Amino acid sequence: MSKKIFLNESEMPSHWYNIVADMPNKPLPPLHPGTKQPAGPQDLAPLFPMELIMQEVSTEQYIEIPDQVQEIYKIWRPTPLIRATAFEKMLGTDCKIYYKYEGVSPSGSHKPNTAVPQAYYNMKEGVKKIATETGAGQWGTALSFACAQFGIECDVYMVRVSYDQKPYRKILMNTFGANVYASPSNRTQAGRNILAADPNSTGSLGIAISEAVEIAAGDENIKYSLGSVLNHVLLHQTVIGQEAEKQLEYAGDFPDIVIAPLGGGSNFAGISFPFIKHNLVNGKKVRCIAVEPASCPKLTKGKFMYDFGDTAGYTPLLPMYTLGHTFQPAAIHAGGLRYHGASVLCSQLLKDGLIEAVALQQLECFDAGVKFAKAEGIVAAPEATHGIAQVIREVNQAKEEGVSKTILFNLCGHGFVDMQAYADYFDGKLQNHEFTHDELTSALDKIGDLQPV
Amino acid sequence: MSKKIFLNESEMPSHWYNIVADMPNKPLPPLHPGTKQPAGPQDLAPLFPMELIMQEVSTEQYIEIPDQVQEIYKIWRPTPLIRATAFEKMLGTDCKIYYKYEGVSPSGSHKPNTAVPQAYYNMKEGVKKIATETGAGQWGTALSFACAQFGIECDVYMVRVSYDQKPYRKILMNTFGANVYASPSNRTQAGRNILAADPNSTGSLGIAISEAVEIAAGDENIKYSLGSVLNHVLLHQTVIGQEAEKQLEYAGDFPDIVIAPLGGGSNFAGISFPFIKHNLVNGKKVRCIAVEPASCPKLTKGKFMYDFGDTAGYTPLLPMYTLGHTFQPAAIHAGGLRYHGASVLCSQLLKDGLIEAVALQQLECFDAGVKFAKAEGIVAAPEATHGIAQVIREVNQAKEEGVSKTILFNLCGHGFVDMQAYADYFDGKLQNHEFTHDELTSALDKIGDLQPV
């Protein structure tokens, strides 16, 4: 039996899968941040090229992937699907465990899947510069690479605490040619306001988004780009699940359970949406489980309501499970999961009972990550360990029930640039975080006047 | 046309290729460090399991790869062969450039190709613990992973300067379960001697080898393991070139030029030996070029003579191109290339005019690495940039001559854990190093009494 299942480049998906077409309840429209009325394509035009906006509101089931994007995808796609034989043996399970490995990409995660088409559509519209934010650094690296491919200048606002603690990420972005600024910066009003109140602010993803949006909104030659949350971002990631489906077919398998961590939702959407389609269209019953950190539990403890995507309130309001846009999650190491809200599509699917969600503590996740590394040889990014931990839970559950399941999870990235997290774990510096009622209400109270769904 | 050429797992090489069988002049035997007489298998038995010793002295053309090793190879092998289409376009060349990408392995380089069989043969002999050294950290990471696969304890002596400057590498080894000690340490006489003379010694690979060898020689339950230089290490790496040959066959191609960086020689041997076989056996004329750093130019400026592998003089004497075992190379960032000697096999091949060697400056190499990253999306390890720089030289040469060449190079590892090198390059902190006559003679003078060839 093959451990790794590869596809030929000729078997790569030709289209992105748009789940909106098949959802029983369509996602509610975004609201204009000023008027609080439904925002149309023109409202988004200062920030995004029109082709991405049309993807954002599209109800077509499939959208064709341009040839030039496909050519660049081929640098690392199709990614391998790997049977976790050694991990199965270590766990002593009859379950079959497969993982899709996105760590082979230029930035080491799934993020280039959307960075490349986003840069492409900007290039087609003649955009010369893109501004974006990055937290842990994965997204900024991916967009830097994508912009280098099309000769577009790239400005990355990097959350100050990551900028200081993760210098390798900054250097990676510089290597691909991007300019990297610590956020909050003095380059924007949003940044200056924060710094005036707290000159030592370590920043947040919400603040960095405000800065990048402000830069793009104020200059018609600059556009903005987001690495998760939005419909078109999730759309681009569906190459993951489509490939995995074909690869499992070659293995003669189909998953009972699909698992992925959820920060904004693009990683989870990427692997799960093509399988949720089977549930919606073909009467299958694949359990799709989004795993969030216990310290930032928007899916399991947040409210479903309209909220901003950023701290300053510049972005359109989105209908989503949220902890409030001013929520400051505890400083856990899985930086990519520390976002206050979940994407509109994932939120609607959860509300409709079409996906599941669980919140896990970080010690359990790192323990799972170390086990997995020793067995399978891949040191997962801290975000990705959340998926591995849930796999172990499902395996234990199956053992209790005396059944064998086929489990697929998305190993969205490697941890080579995040090793400090493992060091802190080994040194006993990491704690679990018990999320309190006060934490929840204090941030949610601040969005009390926003129109609930 | 496919950008990446994959093999099925069923097409992986079943044997390692032993170039000794085809060499016109066989390598000279190692000498016992005490008696200076040819060392036999029994002399090596305190350090290595007997099956590896028999591989070290074997003259068989092919040696079978055990099933259990093959199973673990499948975690990352076969590795992709990639056509550098974007890099070709950037360089404006008619040459065809292919690279074999070994960065997909657990440690991010080619090193696990030999770490796994070495751990396997130790396990078969009932060894419970292996001691080794590591410089930049790639080898220590690879052996840590391999030992985890077989439940063997692993002690890594890591050169102090790397231990302090590259904490991520140490944590990676810890994650795979290894114990990591900064070298020189107080755990060995060799280490204590160095520390007595200089309590602030930052160490060297030669010192770290002395420490690991001392530990293994003094305890029958502990063996020693080396990540390059020795015949059996180079042997194991030939899976790289054998795969590449088959992949090029699928592409309908055969290389005019094969390029790889050379530190001890295992990376270069891995990709080139199966092609040198075509020269030796089938009358082909593939140019195989070893690239070394200008600051550690053993192949282009060293002497061919018997020398120790380590600083303290514990190891057998090997006939090789060397700068002298007390030579301290300048602190360049390509740590994996800072070794005073070249493997016996590579040295003999160079002496016989069967391979070529060039020495490159580090600024040219980093410049090549940045260009390559922007085009192909892979940030190469500093060591690997030496190969890329030589590719550019060959491309320019071909342009001058008005010819088109097919060039294959081994991209032996990614740079995710070595990004500080790129930062120093961008910050203008790196210099070229003009190797002086004094540097050469001062270290060589110290081995003047050793039997020359």
Side-chain angles (χ1 to χ4, degrees):
Chain A
M1 190 200 64
S2 273
K3 178 162 177 66
K4 298 183 300 305
I5 301 143
F6 280 105
L7 298 176
N8 292 321
E9 289 172 8
S10 60
E11 298 172 291
M12 285 166 66
S14 59
H15 291 70
W16 293 301
Y17 168 59
N18 182 13
I19 199 169
V20 174
D22 296 320
M23 287 168 73
N25 295 313
K26 305 302 176 194
L28 296 163
L31 303 183
H32 189 282
T35 65
K36 311 267 163 77
Q37 296 302 308
Q42 281 311 324
D43 292 318
L44 298 170
L47 295 184
F48 302 105
M50 195 46 69
E51 288 218 47
L52 287 177
I53 296 171
M54 296 322 289
Q55 291 181 0
E56 185 68 18
V57 299
S58 170
T59 56
E60 292 295 310
Q61 195 181 26
Y62 284 97
I63 294 174
E64 196 174 359
I65 304 174
D67 286 347
Q68 231 179 317
V69 171
Q70 287 282 26
E71 280 310 302
I72 299 173
Y73 273 173
K74 287 179 188 171
I75 288 180
W76 74 99
R77 304 210 72 83
T79 61
L81 180 79
I82 307 178
R83 175 83 183 268
T85 41
F87 193 49
E88 289 173 13
K89 201 172 151 196
M90 177 189 267
L91 299 177
T93 181
D94 295 331
C95 292
K96 288 190 269 187
I97 305 173
Y98 293 91
Y99 57 102
K100 183 74 171 159
Y101 186 41
E102 292 290 309
V104 294
S105 85
S107 70
S109 81
H110 62 296
K111 294 291 186 186
N113 296 334
T114 184
V116 170
Q118 288 195 47
Y120 167 79
Y121 290 115
N122 274 284
M123 174 276 293
K124 271 190 65 181
E125 220 169 82
V127 173
K128 300 287 180 236
K129 187 193 270 201
I130 300 179
T132 195
E133 72 290 327
T134 199
Q138 273 287 4
W139 169 243
T141 310
L143 192 66
S144 302
F145 156 70
C147 284
Q149 289 285 312
F150 295 107
I152 297 172
E153 200 181 343
C154 184
D155 281 5
V156 181
Y157 290 82
M158 185 174 190
V159 176
R160 162 69 72 183
V161 62
S162 294
Y163 185 94
D164 291 339
Q165 287 179 358
K166 304 182 94 183
Y168 282 18
R169 274 285 167 206
K170 171 184 175 291
I171 307 162
L172 265 174
M173 293 184 254
N174 291 149
T175 303
F176 288 127
N179 313 304
V180 185
Y181 305 105
S183 167
S185 78
N186 273 312
R187 300 173 59 86
T188 66
Q189 193 56 49
R192 288 188 293 269
N193 288 348
I194 298 281
L195 289 173
D198 176 9
N200 298 317
S201 167
T202 54
S204 74
L205 202 55
I207 295 168
I209 295 175
S210 295
E211 292 208 275
V213 167
E214 182 181 326
I215 290 286
D219 185 334
E220 64 182 18
N221 295 312
I222 306 177
K223 294 287 181 188
Y224 169 69
S225 178
L226 190 67
S228 188
V229 177
L230 298 179
N231 300 356
H232 67 271
V233 180
L234 276 59
L235 172 81
H236 299 153
Q237 293 292 354
T238 59
V239 290
I240 302 173
Q242 291 185 76
E243 284 181 7
E245 187 189 342
K246 194 169 286 186
Q247 287 164 313
L248 281 171
E249 212 175 290
Y250 285 137
D253 249 325
F254 191 81
D256 299 302
I257 304 170
V258 174
I259 292 170
L262 187 141
S266 76
N267 167 32
F268 174 75
I271 189 114
S272 71
F273 282 8
F275 293 99
I276 297 173
K277 179 191 166 200
H278 282 284
N279 294 350
L280 295 173
V281 175
N282 303 329
K284 299 270 187 184
K285 291 188 189 304
V286 185
R287 289 178 57 210
C288 293
I289 308 172
V291 189
E292 61 184 7
S295 56
C296 194
K298 56 246 178 186
L299 293 175
T300 55
K301 300 206 171 166
K303 299 270 188 228
F304 186 68
M305 57 199 305
Y306 270 105
D307 195 7
F308 292 109
D310 68 325
T311 303
Y314 290 162
T315 71
L317 290 154
L318 301 174
M320 57 184 181
Y321 281 95
T322 178
L323 297 164
H325 63 280
T326 60
F327 175 74
Q328 285 281 358
I332 62 163
H333 264 298
L337 306 182
R338 296 175 68 240
Y339 186 67
H340 66 275
S343 68
V344 172
L345 296 177
C346 292
S347 293
Q348 188 67 47
L349 290 168
L350 182 66
K351 185 158 186 287
D352 293 342
L354 298 170
I355 63 172
E356 302 173 35
V358 293
L360 298 187
Q361 293 286 1
Q362 66 176 347
L363 293 184
E364 178 179 346
C365 296
F366 277 106
D367 180 66
V370 172
K371 283 196 176 82
F372 187 81
K374 286 183 180 166
E376 294 289 324
I378 296 174
V379 179
E383 291 82 357
T385 63
H386 287 68
I388 300 170
Q390 184 62 24
V391 169
I392 295 178
R393 287 191 171 205
E394 295 298 334
V395 159
N396 291 339
Q397 181 69 25
K399 203 176 288 177
E400 261 180 43
E401 295 173 8
V403 295
S404 164
K405 302 280 187 185
T406 298
I407 303 172
L408 167 68
F409 76 96
N410 196 22
L411 187 50
C412 52
H414 63 64
F416 285 123
V417 197
D418 303 282
M419 291 311 298
Q420 191 55 45
Y422 281 85
D424 290 349
Y425 170 67
F426 291 130
D427 292 346
K429 288 184 190 166
L430 300 189
Q431 283 112 39
N432 285 335
H433 179 85
E434 294 307 329
F435 194 80
T436 65
H437 183 72
D438 283 356
E439 268 186 279
L440 180 62
T441 52
S442 72
L444 279 181
D445 279 353
K446 292 185 193 144
I447 54 169
D449 66 330
L450 296 178
Q451 181 190 332
V453 181
Chain B
M1 190 199 66
S2 273
K3 179 162 176 66
K4 299 184 300 306
I5 301 143
F6 279 105
L7 297 176
N8 292 320
E9 289 172 8
S10 60
E11 298 172 291
M12 285 166 65
S14 58
H15 292 69
W16 294 299
Y17 168 60
N18 182 13
I19 198 169
V20 174
D22 297 320
M23 286 169 73
N25 295 313
K26 305 302 177 194
L28 296 164
L31 302 183
H32 189 284
T35 65
K36 311 266 162 78
Q37 295 302 307
Q42 281 311 325
D43 292 318
L44 298 170
L47 295 184
F48 302 105
M50 196 45 71
E51 289 219 48
L52 287 176
I53 295 171
M54 297 322 290
Q55 290 181 1
E56 185 68 18
V57 299
S58 170
T59 55
E60 291 294 309
Q61 194 181 29
Y62 284 96
I63 294 174
E64 196 174 0
I65 305 174
D67 286 348
Q68 232 178 314
V69 171
Q70 287 281 24
E71 279 311 302
I72 300 174
Y73 273 174
K74 288 179 188 171
I75 289 179
W76 74 98
R77 305 208 71 83
T79 61
L81 180 79
I82 308 177
R83 175 82 183 267
T85 41
F87 193 48
E88 288 172 13
K89 200 172 152 196
M90 178 189 267
L91 298 177
T93 180
D94 293 332
C95 292
K96 288 190 267 187
I97 304 172
Y98 292 92
Y99 57 103
K100 183 75 169 159
Y101 185 42
E102 292 290 307
V104 294
S105 86
S107 69
S109 80
H110 63 294
K111 294 290 186 188
N113 296 334
T114 184
V116 170
Q118 288 196 47
Y120 167 79
Y121 291 116
N122 274 284
M123 175 276 294
K124 269 190 69 182
E125 220 170 82
V127 173
K128 299 287 179 237
K129 186 193 269 200
I130 301 178
T132 197
E133 72 290 328
T134 200
Q138 273 288 3
W139 168 243
T141 310
L143 191 66
S144 302
F145 157 71
C147 284
Q149 289 285 311
F150 294 107
I152 298 172
E153 200 180 341
C154 184
D155 281 6
V156 181
Y157 290 83
M158 185 174 190
V159 176
R160 163 68 73 183
V161 62
S162 293
Y163 186 94
D164 291 338
Q165 286 178 358
K166 304 181 94 183
Y168 281 19
R169 274 286 167 204
K170 171 184 175 293
I171 307 161
L172 264 175
M173 292 184 252
N174 292 149
T175 304
F176 288 127
N179 313 303
V180 184
Y181 305 106
S183 167
S185 79
N186 273 313
R187 301 171 60 85
T188 66
Q189 193 56 49
R192 287 188 293 270
N193 289 349
I194 298 281
L195 289 173
D198 177 8
N200 298 317
S201 167
T202 53
S204 75
L205 202 55
I207 295 169
I209 294 176
S210 295
E211 291 209 274
V213 167
E214 181 181 328
I215 290 284
D219 185 334
E220 64 182 18
N221 295 310
I222 306 177
K223 295 285 183 192
Y224 168 70
S225 178
L226 190 68
S228 188
V229 178
L230 297 179
N231 299 357
H232 68 270
V233 180
L234 275 58
L235 173 81
H236 299 153
Q237 293 292 354
T238 59
V239 291
I240 302 172
Q242 291 184 77
E243 285 181 10
E245 186 189 343
K246 194 169 285 185
Q247 288 164 313
L248 281 171
E249 212 176 289
Y250 284 138
D253 250 324
F254 191 81
D256 298 302
I257 304 170
V258 174
I259 292 170
L262 187 141
S266 76
N267 166 33
F268 174 75
I271 189 111
S272 71
F273 281 9
F275 292 99
I276 296 173
K277 180 192 167 202
H278 282 284
N279 294 350
L280 296 173
V281 175
N282 302 329
K284 298 271 188 184
K285 293 189 188 304
V286 185
R287 291 178 55 210
C288 293
I289 307 171
V291 190
E292 61 184 7
S295 56
C296 193
K298 55 245 178 187
L299 293 176
T300 53
K301 301 206 170 166
K303 299 269 186 225
F304 186 69
M305 56 198 305
Y306 270 104
D307 195 7
F308 292 108
D310 68 325
T311 302
Y314 290 162
T315 71
L317 291 155
L318 300 174
M320 56 185 182
Y321 280 94
T322 179
L323 297 164
H325 64 280
T326 60
F327 176 73
Q328 286 282 357
I332 62 161
H333 264 298
L337 305 183
R338 295 176 68 241
Y339 187 65
H340 65 276
S343 68
V344 172
L345 297 178
C346 292
S347 293
Q348 188 67 48
L349 290 168
L350 182 65
K351 186 158 184 288
D352 293 341
L354 298 170
I355 62 172
E356 302 173 35
V358 293
L360 298 187
Q361 294 285 1
Q362 65 177 348
L363 293 184
E364 177 179 347
C365 296
F366 277 106
D367 180 65
V370 171
K371 283 196 175 82
F372 188 81
K374 285 182 180 167
E376 294 289 323
I378 296 174
V379 179
E383 290 82 357
T385 62
H386 287 68
I388 301 169
Q390 184 62 24
V391 169
I392 294 178
R393 286 191 172 205
E394 295 297 335
V395 158
N396 291 340
Q397 181 69 25
K399 203 177 290 178
E400 261 180 44
E401 295 174 7
V403 295
S404 163
K405 302 280 186 185
T406 298
I407 302 172
L408 167 68
F409 76 97
N410 196 21
L411 188 51
C412 52
H414 62 64
F416 285 124
V417 197
D418 304 282
M419 291 311 298
Q420 191 55 47
Y422 281 85
D424 290 349
Y425 171 66
F426 290 130
D427 293 346
K429 289 183 188 165
L430 301 189
Q431 283 113 38
N432 285 336
H433 179 84
E434 294 309 327
F435 194 80
T436 64
H437 183 72
D438 283 357
E439 268 186 280
L440 180 61
T441 52
S442 73
L444 280 182
D445 279 353
K446 293 184 191 144
I447 53 170
D449 66 330
L450 296 177
Q451 181 190 333
V453 179

